[in-house]
Amino acid sequence: MDFQTAVFYFLSTILVVASLRVITARNPVHAALYLVLSFFTAGGVWMLLRAEFLAIALVLVYVGAVMVLFLFVVMMLDINIERLREGFWANLVPGLIVAGLMLAEMFAVLGAKYFSAGAAPAPEAPAMDYSNTKELGRLIYTEYVYPFELASVILLVAIIAAIALTMRKRKDTKFQEPAKQIAVRREDRVRLVSMPAEKE
Amino acid sequence: MEALLQPVQALLGAAWVPVWTLVKIFAIILPLMGCVAYLTLAERKIIGWMQVRNGPNRVTFFGIKALGGLAQPIADGLKLLFKEIVLPSASSKTLFVLAPVLALAPSLAAWAVIPFSEGLVLADINAGLLYIMAITSMGVYGVIIAGWASNSKYAFLGSLRSAAQIVAYEIAMGFALVTVLMVSQSLNLSDIVRGQGEGMFANMGLGVLSWNWLPLFPMFIVYFIAGVAETNRSPFDVVEGESEIVAGHMIEYSGMAFALFFLAEYANMILIATLTSIMFLGGWLSPVGFLPDGFHWLAAKSAFCLFFFLWLRATFPRYRYDQIMRLGWKVFIPVTIVWLVFIGGWMMSPLSIWK
């Protein structure tokens, strides 16, 4: 077993265990942290596949930003674990059906001969000065420029929609205009009054 | 050097690469830890002088009066090392212990791709800038986990503030770095430094004017201020604002666990200062043509940036939280986007200086 294979098994073990803990951990915060761990290890596995841009982007976007906000929300929820466990038996049958269907679909896809290891031999190792990031950038902005632009427009619409849907004007905020605060002059705030000294 | 290492290499065989890499890692980490220790002393001394005080001047080596204060970091370190680490009974124990480690590890891991001089870098990877961004974005977990695992209101409020603040400033920071990689056409940090050594002014012997800080001046400012906010330093230290939430995420920590958060904060400061020097101030390049390039320039530039951290702390009162958010989202992000488009247009125009 060469070094790369050993690293692969090491990372995969962590990944599988962490993913299992995501769904078995009792505490939702622990589950979210295991999800962070599994994202991070998945990044490591992708790095082994020489997809360094995707690996780093996964860590940067999902671990560095998405999961932080996710944790932010999960930590603030006051979750009663006993109530979550209610109705386990009632939901078991539909849950099992969904799980069985998903498992069958995964077998159908992964078991097909197109995806077997023999059908796709490992690509040759690229030259030393080959930059995965540069090649990806070139492809996105030349060959796939229209799908890429389309995806970005959809994302932009989603961002604006999310802001528009949650935006509300509150009347009770004590919002201050910083420009006005800076532009204030002494005459606006202080009035100097000349008071003659009082004598008894 | 080569001849000296040859017999060792033959002796170790296959174990040579990991052993040699470990040696290199220690060669980076140990001086870094020394810098962190003495940065705390420098901070107390400099702020002391700014406030017309002496700062720490008692603890010395071997009773020599002239070295007064120089042993202060060692005394502080020993004191913290011997203190008990109190585990709050209602805390989440594993996460409580893990949090300081998670705070410190990213700030050390990022040093792997920092080029100290021409060819003097641990891992010369071609996605170095992305790696830096990804690793530094992990630092927030230490704070968040510490806040949650402590099971304390103050700590929790601190961690929520930190999460919102770091996510906000990371965007502006990322955009600032995007302009840097646009003009250098590379994600490799060594290439970014080398790219700053070329141009009209560099050929005239005035390298200082061809560095990125001049054409990317707004980005330089945004990056540095966002760096101050990312490291939770004053005036952006609402995460641990003493007057509001006592000490934020660190309130339940004692002894060495507490010290680890401090180590992480100062290691992050040094990292941000070094990155600013590499991205905008020409890294190891000499500012004028007749002086040789070398590591000492990077050290001098980083020390200059670090001084700004301390100077800011001594000068400004703490920001109000809504003003921090306003600065991040409504000022920095628009400024960076406008400058990004402007640089893009400049590079496409015949006036481009990055050909």
Side-chain angles (χ1 to χ4, degrees):
Chain A
M1 194 161 69
D2 62 342
F3 181 65
Q4 278 202 358
T5 323
V7 172
F8 171 75
Y9 279 115
F10 176 68
L11 290 176
S12 307
T13 316
I14 297 178
L15 181 55
V16 169
V17 172
S19 316
L20 280 176
R21 290 294 292 150
V22 173
I23 51 174
T24 54
R26 274 167 169 265
N27 192 319
V29 173
H30 291 178
L33 287 173
Y34 276 114
L35 191 56
V36 173
L37 178 62
S38 52
F39 277 139
F40 192 74
T41 358
V45 173
W46 289 2
M47 196 75 93
L48 279 181
L49 293 170
R50 300 197 191 88
E52 74 260 13
F53 179 77
L54 281 183
I56 295 176
L58 180 76
V59 173
L60 183 64
V61 175
Y62 280 90
V63 177
V66 173
M67 286 314 292
V68 172
L69 296 178
F70 208 86
L71 266 179
F72 189 100
V73 173
V74 170
M75 281 176 180
M76 285 204 286
L77 296 176
D78 189 20
I79 296 173
N80 187 346
I81 295 171
E82 288 308 308
R83 270 205 53 205
L84 279 182
R85 295 192 175 262
E86 274 173 25
F88 176 81
W89 295 107
N91 292 326
L92 185 64
V93 177
L96 277 181
I97 293 173
V98 171
L101 273 176
M102 282 173 72
L103 208 63
E105 284 172 3
M106 281 162 82
F107 266 115
V109 172
L110 296 175
K113 62 178 186 222
Y114 303 110
F115 290 96
S116 61
E124 282 176 36
M128 274 303 280
D129 58 343
Y130 175 84
S131 170
N132 185 299
T133 315
K134 209 168 198 166
E135 289 304 311
L136 197 71
R138 186 168 296 146
L139 271 182
I140 282 180
Y141 286 103
T142 54
E143 214 165 302
Y144 298 104
V145 64
Y146 291 120
F148 179 69
E149 294 288 331
L150 208 61
S152 57
V153 168
I154 292 171
L155 274 176
L156 184 68
V157 170
I159 293 171
I160 295 172
I163 296 172
L165 284 176
T166 53
M167 177 90 158
R168 62 193 174 119
K169 278 267 185 288
R170 282 173 55 181
K171 290 197 178 66
D172 56 340
T173 57
K174 294 175 179 168
F175 179 75
Q176 289 153 323
E177 195 78 52
K180 271 188 196 163
Q181 287 181 304
I182 292 168
V184 81
R185 288 165 306 149
R186 194 186 65 176
E187 294 81 54
D188 303 338
R189 297 280 167 89
V190 185
R191 190 165 54 94
L192 288 181
V193 184
S194 173
M195 292 272 285
E198 288 177 36
K199 285 175 194 160
E200 288 191 18
Chain B
M1 189 73 176
E2 284 288 307
L4 215 66
L5 288 172
Q6 216 74 53
V8 190
Q9 196 169 353
L11 188 73
L12 286 169
W16 165 251
V17 176
V19 168
W20 184 230
T21 312
L22 267 181
V23 169
K24 285 195 232 171
I25 290 173
F26 273 103
I28 295 174
I29 300 274
L30 292 183
L32 180 65
M33 283 293 135
C35 288
V36 167
Y38 276 88
L39 181 58
T40 60
L41 178 68
E43 171 166 42
R44 294 167 71 180
K45 274 286 191 192
I46 289 172
I47 292 181
W49 290 327
M50 284 180 181
Q51 297 166 349
V52 205
R53 307 183 271 117
N54 271 326
N57 63 354
R58 293 290 130 175
V59 194
T60 113
F61 292 109
F62 316 115
I64 304 169
K65 273 230 177 91
L67 298 178
L70 271 186
Q72 186 71 44
I74 298 166
D76 289 344
L78 283 177
K79 179 194 137 190
L80 286 166
L81 205 60
F82 286 120
K83 279 195 146 187
E84 183 191 357
I85 298 177
V86 181
L87 286 178
S89 56
S91 66
S92 176
K93 300 280 185 312
T94 324
L95 288 180
F96 188 80
V97 177
L98 196 65
V101 181
L102 279 179
L104 183 62
S107 51
L108 298 182
W111 287 87
V113 295
I114 302 279
F116 296 99
S117 178
E118 180 69 53
L120 194 64
V121 49
L122 179 63
D124 196 15
I125 60 174
N126 52 22
L129 194 64
L130 274 174
Y131 171 84
I132 289 275
M133 283 159 78
I135 288 293
T136 49
S137 72
M138 303 263 308
V140 62
Y141 279 101
V143 177
I144 296 185
I145 293 175
W148 185 78
S150 301
N151 198 9
S152 151
K153 293 281 186 296
Y154 287 133
F156 189 57
L157 282 174
S159 72
L160 290 185
R161 285 179 173 195
S162 160
Q165 179 180 328
I166 290 185
V167 168
Y169 279 86
E170 215 154 65
I171 301 171
M173 216 172 183
F175 270 126
L177 293 184
V178 164
T179 49
V180 172
L181 81 91
M182 270 166 68
V183 301
S184 359
Q185 314 236 330
S186 171
L187 284 165
N188 183 307
L189 293 176
S190 303
D191 284 346
I192 289 174
V193 174
R194 276 183 218 118
Q196 297 181 61
E198 291 158 12
M200 192 177 75
F201 288 114
N203 295 338
M204 285 158 58
L206 276 170
V208 62
L209 293 178
S210 76
W211 298 341
N212 279 339
W213 69 270
L214 191 59
L216 302 181
F217 191 70
M219 298 295 100
F220 172 47
I221 301 297
V222 165
Y223 181 80
F224 188 72
I225 297 178
V228 177
E230 286 266 295
T231 48
N232 295 330
R233 290 285 302 175
S234 174
F236 299 99
D237 58 347
V238 289
V239 173
E240 48 197 277
E242 293 87 357
S243 52
E244 301 147 23
I245 51 174
V246 199
H249 59 285
M250 300 189 278
I251 184 171
E252 302 291 344
Y253 284 86
S254 55
M256 207 54 206
F258 175 76
L260 277 186
F261 279 112
F262 259 83
L263 287 183
E265 181 178 328
Y266 285 86
N268 266 326
M269 275 166 70
I270 301 179
L271 180 70
I272 294 288
T274 313
L275 282 176
T276 313
S277 317
I278 287 173
M279 309 282 180
F280 297 99
L281 299 176
W284 67 78
L285 298 175
S286 152
V288 280
F290 55 85
L291 291 173
D293 300 337
F295 170 66
H296 51 280
W297 287 114
L298 181 65
K301 289 164 187 171
S302 306
F304 174 74
C305 293
L306 278 173
F307 179 72
F308 264 87
F309 272 95
L310 310 182
W311 195 4
L312 286 176
R313 176 165 171 194
T315 308
F316 293 113
R318 185 175 293 139
Y319 256 106
R320 215 171 59 203
Y321 196 73
D322 62 316
Q323 290 172 337
I324 291 184
M325 283 295 142
R326 176 181 166 274
L327 184 71
W329 288 104
K330 293 189 181 171
V331 179
F332 279 0
I333 293 178
V335 164
T336 48
I337 291 177
V338 166
W339 207 256
L340 189 79
V341 174
F342 173 71
I343 292 288
W346 192 357
M347 287 179 72
M348 284 298 126
S349 74
L351 295 171
S352 170
I353 54 172
W354 295 286
K355 284 283 157 58

